């Protein structure tokens, strides 16, 4: 299977989609790129850069075919790389008529499809009959802003078929992106979801003026919480200290580029949830994921005090100050 011989499509117009497009164009001559709004593609074609995200990244638009129709791009492409907020996935694909069951899917989405409480790979398998072995997941640690600056970053590509994981990885490997592969598609995807929730907790604590000492305790407890959950939902031998799990958690919880941490900081400083969402002007996946994971965990009953605290603050109108104070008594 030579994935580089297939037409590659990027689905999404945000910063991570833009970063992925930059990586893929290091390895293939041409990409297809779906953006929902025609005015976005019109601006892109005129200026050679995304009008809203990573504007300093210049593209040769002769190497890009832009689409605003999801059926057209999925019909014309063999590999579909999704990098859109998970909440928008059913909206964009809801009226799609193309049969994508034989396509190869690579997901850069770090969230749960909340209507069904499904991981992205589960969603594509259940609703579009895409076999799990034809899907891959991109896991961090990696921020789009640093890809734009060509700062050395490491990514893990997970697929139940490791040989296909290597093929997927070859699409994004370049001078500034090193990749490893894994067969732990469930653990890496759930970990990518959970680290966004933890990043919100980290931001809330920073907004409440908790210091670095407490943040260290919070994150060391958080990786244990993630391990308990992923080991319960998919019990295999995995090293939770590797970059796909711990590394992704660290960069999302601490980085200035983390939108989930920024969202949490707003909440900690007293912003109402709706106001914080409007002010951020980007989707913080952890907001939606906290509710989904809370619902999923009603089945598994894993001890998840940090996730529960975030859920209570975001969805049960709990006081951030009081909720985090209660959380401090549960950490060690």
């Amino acid at each position: 299977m030579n994935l580089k011989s297939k037409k590659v499509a990027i689905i999404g117009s945000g910063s991570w989609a833009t970063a992925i497009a930059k990586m893929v164009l290091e390895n293939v001559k041409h990409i297809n790129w779906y953006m929902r709004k025609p005015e976005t593609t019109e601006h892109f074609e005129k200026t050679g850069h995304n009008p809203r995200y990573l504007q300093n990244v210049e593209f040769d638009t002769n190497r890009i075919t832009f689409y605003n129709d999801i059926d057209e791009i999925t019909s014309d492409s063999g590999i579909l790389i999704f990098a859109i907020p998970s909440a928008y996935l059913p909206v964009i694909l809801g009226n799609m008529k193309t049969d994508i069951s034989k396509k190869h899917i690579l997901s850069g989405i770090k969230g749960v499809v909340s209507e069904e409480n499904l991981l992205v790979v589960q969603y594509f398998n259940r609703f579009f009959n895409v076999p799990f072995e034809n899907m891959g997941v991109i896991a961090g640690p990696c921020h789009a802003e640093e890809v734009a600056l060509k700062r050395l970053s490491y990514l893990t590509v997970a697929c139940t078929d490791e040989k296909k994981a290597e093929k997927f990885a070859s699409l994004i490997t370049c001078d500034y992106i090193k990749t490893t592969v894994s067969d732990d598609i469930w653990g890496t995807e759930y970990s990518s979801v959970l680290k966004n929730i933890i990043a919100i907790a980290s931001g809330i604590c920073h907004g409440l003026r908790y210091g670095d000492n407490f943040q260290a305790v919070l994150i060391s407890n958080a990786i244990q919480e993630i391990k308990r959950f992923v080991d319960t939902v998919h019990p295999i031998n995995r090293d939770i200290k590797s970059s796909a799990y711990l590394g992704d958690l660290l960069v999302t919880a601490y980085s200035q580029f983390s939108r989930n941490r920024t969202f949490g900081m707003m909440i900690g400083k007293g912003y109402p949830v709706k106001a914080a969402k409007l002010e951020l002007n980007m989707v913080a996946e952890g907001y939606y994921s906290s509710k989904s994971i809370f619902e999923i965990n009603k089945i598994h009953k894993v001890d998840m005090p940090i996730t529960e605290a975030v859920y209570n603050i975001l969805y049960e109108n709990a006081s951030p100050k009081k909720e985090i104070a209660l959380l401090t008594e549960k950490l060690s």
Side-chain angles (χ1 to χ4, degrees):
M1 181 188 66
N2 185 1
L3 290 184
K4 288 187 179 181
S5 67
K6 296 178 179 289
K7 289 184 179 179
V8 180
I10 311 296
I11 314 294
S13 60
S15 57
W16 190 223
T18 305
I20 290 173
K22 177 180 172 65
M23 290 184 264
V24 173
L25 281 169
E26 300 282 2
N27 295 290
V28 302
K29 293 180 179 180
H30 191 276
I31 63 170
N32 297 333
W33 197 341
Y34 170 83
M35 297 181 177
R36 187 170 57 87
K37 297 180 179 179
E39 57 267 32
T40 303
T41 55
E42 289 170 8
H43 186 283
F44 207 129
E45 288 177 317
K46 289 179 182 177
T47 64
H49 65 78
N50 191 322
R52 291 190 62 195
Y53 302 98
L54 306 186
Q55 295 180 31
N56 59 323
V57 179
E58 298 292 333
F59 288 89
D60 179 358
T61 55
N62 292 319
R63 299 175 61 197
I64 303 170
T65 301
F66 290 102
Y67 294 77
N68 305 120
D69 187 301
I70 193 66
D71 276 304
E72 287 183 8
I73 193 169
T74 50
S75 295
D76 293 348
S77 311
I79 303 168
L80 310 177
I81 304 179
F82 286 85
I84 58 177
S86 58
Y88 298 166
L89 199 56
V91 176
I92 290 174
L93 300 183
N95 296 317
M96 185 179 67
K97 298 178 178 63
T98 308
D99 178 6
I100 62 170
S101 62
K102 293 181 172 60
K103 307 286 185 180
H104 287 88
I105 307 289
L106 187 57
S107 172
I109 302 172
K110 299 185 176 184
V112 178
V113 183
S114 55
E115 289 182 6
E116 306 290 340
N117 287 337
L118 295 174
L119 292 175
V120 172
V121 292
Q122 291 174 312
Y123 176 77
F124 278 113
N125 177 261
R126 180 175 298 183
F127 290 98
F128 299 97
N129 299 313
V130 182
F132 286 113
E133 62 268 21
N134 282 354
M135 291 186 281
V137 172
I138 303 173
C142 187
H143 281 306
E145 292 81 1
E146 293 201 357
V147 174
L149 295 169
K150 293 189 175 182
R151 290 180 177 171
L152 182 62
S153 302
Y154 291 68
L155 290 169
T156 297
V157 178
C159 178
T160 56
D161 182 333
E162 280 200 68
K163 290 185 178 179
K164 286 183 181 176
E166 291 172 358
K167 298 292 185 181
F168 282 130
S170 71
L171 293 172
I172 57 175
T173 304
C174 57
D175 291 345
Y176 50 92
I177 300 292
K178 294 185 182 293
T179 56
T180 56
V181 300
S182 167
D183 64 354
D184 184 19
I185 194 170
W186 308 102
T188 52
E189 191 163 14
Y190 267 125
S191 182
S192 293
V193 170
L194 290 164
K195 57 93 179 184
N196 285 330
I197 302 171
I198 303 303
I200 291 177
S202 176
I204 291 171
C205 293
H206 183 78
L208 289 169
R209 305 183 69 82
Y210 283 82
D212 291 344
N213 293 345
F214 178 74
Q215 289 283 355
V217 173
L218 178 73
I219 302 308
S220 61
N221 278 263
I223 194 61
Q224 296 175 62
E225 183 167 314
I226 291 173
K227 178 175 172 54
R228 287 194 298 272
F229 186 82
V230 297
D231 285 354
T232 298
V233 297
H234 188 57
I236 63 169
N237 183 29
R238 60 170 63 86
D239 183 3
I240 203 71
K241 300 184 299 297
S242 66
S243 61
Y245 312 99
L246 179 58
D248 204 7
L249 169 64
L250 291 173
V251 77
T252 311
Y254 289 140
S255 175
Q256 61 179 324
F257 296 126
S258 171
R259 64 186 66 177
N260 288 282
R261 187 177 194 273
T262 301
F263 177 71
M265 285 173 56
M266 293 178 183
I267 301 298
K269 289 179 178 180
Y271 280 68
V273 173
K274 286 185 178 180
K277 289 169 67 178
L278 288 171
E279 180 76 17
L280 187 65
N281 199 30
M282 292 185 290
V283 174
E285 285 279 17
Y287 169 75
Y288 301 99
S289 298
S290 60
K291 186 174 188 294
S292 294
I293 294 296
F294 183 83
E295 294 293 332
I296 292 168
N297 197 40
K298 287 180 179 179
I299 299 169
H300 300 292
K301 302 186 186 308
V302 177
D303 180 29
M304 304 185 76
I306 303 173
T307 299
E308 288 175 9
V310 172
Y311 170 81
N312 288 338
I313 292 168
L314 298 183
Y315 288 94
E316 298 295 339
N317 203 31
S319 160
K321 184 176 181 179
K322 291 180 180 178
E323 194 66 30
I324 297 301
L326 290 171
L327 178 63
T328 64
E329 299 300 319
K330 300 174 183 177
L331 305 183
S332 60

